Structures are given as structure tokens and as C-alpha cells.
Amino acid sequence: MTPLRHHASSEPLIKVENLCKIYSLENGGNGTVNSQVLFDVSLTINRGEFVAIMGHSGSGKSTLMNILGCLDTPTSGSYWLNGRDIAKLSDDELARVRNRNIGFVFQGFNLLKRMTALDNVAAPLLYAGVSRSESRKRALERLQQTGLGKFAAYQPNQLSGGQQQRVAISRALVNNPQLILADEPTGNLDTQTSGEIMTIFQQLNREQGITIVLVTHEDDIAACTRRLVRVKDGRVVHDDEVPA
Ligand code: ADP
Ligand code: MG
């Protein structure tokens, strides 16, 4: 059976307009200095897209990702996720959006050290109020989906980097998010393992229609996506399809 192919729709999932981010830093008792990191970033990402964000270190990629993930707020500008104005949500509503709608994957895996792979993956479900037994059942299905079913009882330090990233992807998937935000997910992995992780992301995008936004500084990783956004000094300087 050929898997169902999902295609990007023209319905915006993410719409940001004129985002600016200014950090205020303490200046050793001499007041504060402002440092602007994002300048009028406008970007629309439709459901089902697979987008790479590239740019030099310090260009504002993680700052943008943190805003898209509702982990941080812009200094000015607007963000609509699923048509909802993020600025109008309460802290509880924001926490729910992060937990239910968005899956996060980071360069450093961010797994809890003294917990098994299974419990790491189950954690967001427990947080969302799902029972322990149901959480574990769904967590195991997600580990199986990324090829790690046999490692459910392992702790992170007993797993390779690639395996830890699969656990993190399983965790990101456990609440059936519409959106996965991955900040340099292959940054700590060798070329072959990076390729395996990108294959998982491609399958999730193609077969389940999950929208993926992924930061990378490697051309061959970006080539696995379908749209490339380049950021330079806090501005979007390029935005185009990745050639097939
Ligand atoms: P990238 O992910 O592209 O490497 P970042 O978004 O992490 O870039 O950082 C962009 C700029 O913002 C950098 O100059 C960084 O030092 C600064 N920055 C990031 N986070 C903070 C913060 N919490 N406070 C002050 N400055 C920050
Ligand atoms: Mg970064």
C-alpha cells in the first residue's frame, strides 16, 4: 500500500508580521542597553510545509523559533498561529498551545536523564492529564514509529546521539502536534545519522502532513526540506522553494 501523500495547503498555520525582538541587557549598574535581534520579520507558513531556516550563528534563528514556539514573545509585531492572535492568549492558553499543538526538537535532545525513553516520551501526555497507563501505551507507539520500540526501558546515557534524538522526536509527536519546531536537530550528529533523522522528518511531513520548521546551517540538511528561508542579521533575506 502506498502511503497517503500530504501536500502543503494554502491555509496559513503560522503568520507573523513585522516581528521585532529587542533584548534589554543590564549594563553593569549603568542602566540598560538595548540590542535588537529581529527586524520586521514577516513570514507565512502554510499547513503541511517543510521549511528550513538557515543563517549564520547569532543571526536570530533561535530567537525566531522561540517566538514561533510560544516560548518567548516579540517586542513588537504580530503572530497568528492557526488564525489565533498569540498576543491575546492567557498564560494557561499558551501553555496548552505549546503542549498540544507544537512538538519541539533541540540540538541537545533535552531528555530527562534519570528517566527511561518511555517515560521521557510519556511526560507531555501526563502533563496534559492523560492516565499513566494510557500515556505509556501511546509513548510506546511513538517510540516504535521512530524505530526505538526495543529501547523503551533505556535511559538517555545508554543511547547513542541518534537514538536520543529519536526519543526526542517521539516525545515531540506524542500529543499529535500540527507543528514541529526543530532547532539544529542534527547539529550533534554524524552525517549518516543526520540523514536517518531527516528521513524521519520527511516521512512525518509527507505521510502525516505535519508542518515542520527546522533550523540548520548545513546545505544538505536544508536540501531535504521543501522551502528555504535565509536569515541574516535578524532579517529574512531569501525565501524560496528548495529545487526538487
Ligand atoms: P542563532 O540561533 O541564529 O545563532 P540567536 O537567536 O540565538 O541566534 O541569537 C541572536 C542574537 O541575540 C545573538 O546576538 C545573541 O547573543 C542574542 N541573544 C539571544 N538570546 C538572548 C537573551 N536571552 N538575552 C540577550 N541577548 C540574547
Ligand atoms: Mg541558535
Side-chain angles (χ1 to χ4, degrees):
M1 201 177 83
T2 45
L4 195 62
R5 293 274 146 155
H6 285 261
H7 294 281
S9 72
S10 51
E11 264 176 278
L13 177 63
I14 287 171
K15 188 170 163 65
V16 299
E17 266 179 18
N18 300 109
L19 277 194
C20 294
K21 180 70 183 180
I22 300 171
Y23 288 114
S24 293
L25 300 166
E26 288 295 323
N27 188 20
N30 299 319
T32 55
V33 232
N34 288 338
S35 159
Q36 185 158 0
V37 173
L38 294 178
F39 296 81
D40 289 313
V41 172
S42 298
L43 197 61
T44 300
I45 297 176
N46 292 330
R47 286 168 201 276
E49 284 204 87
F50 190 1
V51 182
I53 297 183
M54 294 190 86
H56 291 128
S57 179
S59 57
K61 307 180 297 294
S62 294
T63 301
L64 177 59
M65 290 291 269
N66 289 342
I67 294 172
L68 297 183
C70 306
L71 296 165
D72 197 3
T73 50
T75 308
S76 61
S78 318
Y79 178 16
W80 292 270
L81 179 63
N82 262 324
R84 294 169 89 190
D85 183 351
I86 289 300
K88 298 214 169 93
L89 301 185
S90 68
D91 287 350
D92 280 355
E93 286 169 321
L94 272 182
R96 209 171 307 132
V97 166
R98 282 195 298 268
N99 183 253
R100 310 270 167 94
N101 298 89
I102 307 175
F104 296 94
V105 180
F106 301 95
Q107 178 171 5
F109 320 130
N110 294 21
L111 300 175
L112 294 165
K113 286 189 174 56
R114 296 189 192 290
M115 275 166 58
T116 62
L118 188 72
D119 286 337
N120 266 286
V121 177
L125 288 171
L126 291 172
Y127 181 73
V130 179
S131 75
R132 184 154 218 103
S133 61
E134 178 65 19
S135 295
R136 290 196 158 165
K137 181 173 155 271
R138 289 196 221 162
L140 183 59
E141 287 166 6
R142 292 310 194 175
L143 283 171
Q144 285 162 343
Q145 192 183 353
T146 61
L148 270 200
K150 287 185 187 140
F151 297 88
Y154 285 57
Q155 293 191 358
N157 64 358
Q158 300 169 315
L159 297 169
S160 71
Q163 288 170 331
Q164 290 183 62
Q165 199 56 301
R166 285 168 193 257
V167 175
I169 294 171
S170 303
R171 178 182 57 187
L173 289 171
V174 81
N175 272 325
N176 297 317
Q178 306 165 284
L179 171 65
I180 288 185
L181 297 174
D183 196 346
E184 306 206 33
T186 63
N188 286 348
L189 304 175
D190 62 66
T191 307
Q192 191 194 323
T193 309
S194 297
E196 291 165 9
I197 294 296
M198 289 311 292
T199 302
I200 294 175
F201 283 126
Q202 287 176 318
Q203 282 169 348
L204 292 171
N205 174 253
R206 283 202 204 114
E207 293 167 20
Q208 296 187 40
I210 298 176
T211 308
I212 302 178
V213 183
L214 180 150
V215 170
T216 183
H217 53 257
E218 290 165 84
D219 291 323
D220 42 346
I221 297 294
C224 297
T225 72
R226 295 195 277 177
R227 175 175 165 193
L228 174 60
V229 173
R230 277 188 196 278
V231 176
K232 190 177 177 205
D233 300 332
R235 296 171 210 268
V236 171
V237 293
H238 168 104
D239 184 354
D240 210 349
E241 277 176 35
V242 170

